[in-house]
Amino acid sequence: MRRMPRGDSSGAFKYSRVAQSGYNYGLRTMENVQQESMLRKSLKIALVVTAYWVVSITMVFLNKYLLSGEELKLEAPLFITFYQCLVSVLLCLLLRLLSRLMPGVISFPPVHLDKKISREVLPLSVVFVGMITFNNLCLKYVGVAFYTVGRSLTTVFNVVLTYFVLKQTTSLKAILCCLVIISGFVLGVDQEGAAGTLSVIGVIFGVSASLFVCLNSILTKKVLPCVDSNVWRLTYYNNINAVILFIPLILIFGEASILTNFPHLTSSKFWGLMTLSGFFGFAIGYITGLQIKVTSPLTHNISGTAKACAQTVLAVVFSHDIKTALWWLSNALVLGGSAAYTKVRHSEMQKQHKESKKALAEMKMEDSKNGDLNKVEGPSTVPLLGFEEQDSAKDKKGSLEEDRPTVNDV
């Protein structure tokens, strides 16, 4: 066997080249895997955002057709809302059944009617009924193009209730954003009046819907612990209570007699569209949560603002309306103010979080120097920089900033 002469480095050089080639191949493989992973993540985000837009916009136009379509002419908005809640209840039961039959494919929490929990959720359900009823009534009396502006005061009510309910002040920047939204709302109402398309009752219903959205946010935080903080169980109980609450309302407002004389009551197309609207109403909750999960709350709000712009443009195009520059400006003020408020509050919350972490780290370092890292003598006057006190306030009264529904969510 021939031995490699001492000092001959050609063999070692070849080995180093092989090793280098293997190393480069490994790097390229890792880069390809990362690129594929990033591509899958981007594709998933694009699909979720697209689904959110499609479901939300389709639901608005479908509800508009059911509430005030010339073909149907069904003057029973309470019954339509009642049926949508009933569909949500049936979908919860169906998903629970499928999760038991296919546990590896579908996951859904156990749902069974507990009268005690139902009573605890009832205050939220009353507000929930008001919220979805006023939303639908607003949509019935105003056009889809004005629908966003008509319900644009949600953010303003959020700031007002934050002050009066939680006793918390709002920054000057956030207040300025609210003033922009209010100016856009007032200008939009003025332009609708100038065009002769203003519905005063529709505007009143829109303002009421905005108020009830904020109240719903407060009570949701308060009631969630009653259902083990499970959103789907809350959806189930909320819609069951709503179905029961709507029955006397339908009778009081005379919609039962309207239904008996409705010519399309036996139409499969009518019931198909009604069921589809209920499905979209149930799906929007899931897709909204999914969009927040795959992106962030800030990105969700930006997506909602962009969706509202697209929805407004589509409504104007489909109705062949000609809108003035001031009308478009009112929409820009409302959507721009809402987006700016979201950005301002997001930045403020991030700043508060960083300051709290920094202060907590300094407290730990000080305790470590004093040999008291694991002990605190006596009650602290400012526990964890007020986090415990703020959290308890949220538990009692609800949070208006976290998971707050925006004007763009339906």
Side-chain angles (χ1 to χ4, degrees):
M1 181 175 177
R2 183 173 176 270
R3 298 176 60 185
M4 186 174 61
R6 185 176 298 179
D8 185 0
S9 61
S10 61
F13 178 70
K14 289 179 181 178
Y15 292 141
S16 65
R17 288 179 60 188
V18 171
Q20 183 66 36
S21 299
Y23 177 73
N24 291 338
Y25 176 77
L27 283 179
R28 287 195 299 270
T29 302
M30 290 178 61
E31 289 175 358
N32 291 336
V33 170
Q34 289 176 351
Q35 288 176 357
E36 289 177 3
S37 177
M38 195 66 187
L39 181 62
R40 284 197 298 268
K41 183 178 179 181
S42 300
L43 182 61
K44 181 179 180 180
I45 291 174
L47 289 174
V48 171
V49 172
T50 302
Y52 169 75
W53 279 44
V54 170
V55 171
S56 181
I57 293 176
T58 303
M59 183 174 67
V60 171
F61 280 96
L62 179 56
N63 282 346
K64 179 63 178 177
Y65 173 77
L66 291 172
L67 290 162
S68 57
E70 290 296 325
E71 181 182 348
L72 292 180
K73 295 182 179 178
L74 177 59
E75 297 295 328
L78 293 176
F79 172 75
I80 293 173
T81 314
F82 155 83
Y83 186 80
Q84 291 170 344
C85 292
L86 180 61
V87 170
S88 293
V89 172
L90 295 177
L91 285 173
C92 285
L93 295 174
L94 176 61
L95 287 173
R96 178 52 187 166
L97 176 62
L98 292 176
S99 70
R100 295 178 65 180
L101 296 175
M102 299 179 290
V105 179
I106 298 176
S107 175
F108 200 82
V111 287
H112 60 276
L113 186 58
D114 186 315
K115 293 182 180 179
K116 181 177 180 295
I117 296 178
S118 183
R119 286 194 298 269
E120 292 173 341
V121 176
L122 185 59
L124 171 63
S125 301
V126 172
V127 173
F128 174 72
V129 166
M131 180 184 72
I132 57 178
T133 300
F134 285 130
N135 265 329
N136 278 349
L137 287 173
C138 174
L139 185 58
K140 176 179 174 61
Y141 290 101
V142 305
V144 175
F146 185 69
Y147 186 52
T148 299
V149 174
R151 301 181 308 123
S152 62
L153 297 183
T154 302
T155 302
V156 178
F157 281 121
N158 172 69
V159 171
V160 172
L161 293 178
T162 296
Y163 179 77
F164 285 103
V165 177
L166 301 183
K167 309 301 180 184
Q168 295 176 1
T169 57
T170 304
S171 68
L172 179 60
K173 288 182 179 180
I175 292 175
L176 289 176
C177 293
C178 290
L179 292 177
V180 172
I181 295 171
I182 293 173
S183 64
F185 174 79
V186 173
L187 180 59
V189 171
D190 175 72
Q191 289 302 299
E192 285 287 305
T197 56
L198 178 66
S199 170
V200 176
I201 189 66
V203 173
I204 293 174
F205 285 141
V207 174
S208 301
S210 300
L211 174 60
F212 273 79
V213 165
C214 286
L215 293 174
N216 185 75
S217 178
I218 298 173
L219 289 178
T220 296
K221 285 284 185 179
K222 184 177 180 181
V223 170
L224 263 175
C226 301
V227 290
D228 301 323
S229 297
N230 190 290
V231 175
W232 291 117
R233 291 189 69 196
L234 181 61
T235 299
Y236 175 72
Y237 279 102
N238 223 4
N239 282 280
I240 278 189
N241 285 345
V243 167
I244 297 172
L245 290 171
F246 269 120
I247 292 174
L249 291 176
I250 290 171
L251 297 174
I252 291 171
F253 286 92
E255 291 192 3
S257 59
I258 294 174
L259 288 170
T260 56
N261 297 319
F262 182 55
H264 301 286
L265 193 61
T266 58
S267 169
S268 58
K269 177 185 176 182
F270 167 71
W271 288 109
L273 292 175
M274 287 279 286
T275 303
L276 187 61
S277 71
F279 171 78
F280 279 145
F282 180 82
I284 192 65
Y286 172 76
I287 294 178
T288 297
L290 186 60
Q291 181 172 240
I292 293 172
K293 181 180 179 181
V294 301
T295 57
S296 68
L298 177 61
T299 305
H300 164 68
N301 284 330
I302 294 172
S303 173
T305 301
K307 186 272 303 180
C309 292
Q311 180 177 293
T312 301
V313 172
L314 286 173
V316 172
V317 171
F318 288 161
S319 60
H320 303 288
D321 290 338
I322 298 176
K323 301 296 185 182
T324 64
L326 288 177
W327 187 91
W328 287 108
L329 177 61
S330 70
N331 280 266
L333 289 172
V334 165
L335 296 173
S338 299
Y341 176 85
T342 299
K343 184 66 173 67
V344 167
R345 289 298 301 140
H346 179 74
S347 300
E348 290 174 353
M349 292 174 73
Q350 277 193 328
K351 183 179 178 182
Q352 291 172 2
H353 181 65
K354 289 179 180 178
E355 290 176 352
S356 300
K357 287 180 67 176
K358 181 180 178 182
L360 186 60
E362 290 175 354
M363 289 172 61
K364 287 185 176 180
M365 288 181 63
E366 187 67 25
D367 288 342
S368 179
K369 290 178 182 179
N370 297 332
D372 252 348
L373 182 60
N374 298 319
K375 293 192 295 182
V376 178
E377 296 180 357
S380 173
T381 55
V382 188
L384 288 180
L385 301 177
F387 281 2
E388 293 178 4
E389 293 176 356
Q390 290 177 6
D391 288 344
S392 63
K394 288 178 184 177
D395 290 338
K396 292 177 182 177
K397 302 177 183 179
S399 171
L400 296 178
E401 294 299 340
E402 297 179 9
D403 304 327
R404 178 181 60 83
T406 68
V407 65
N408 307 309
D409 289 333
V410 180

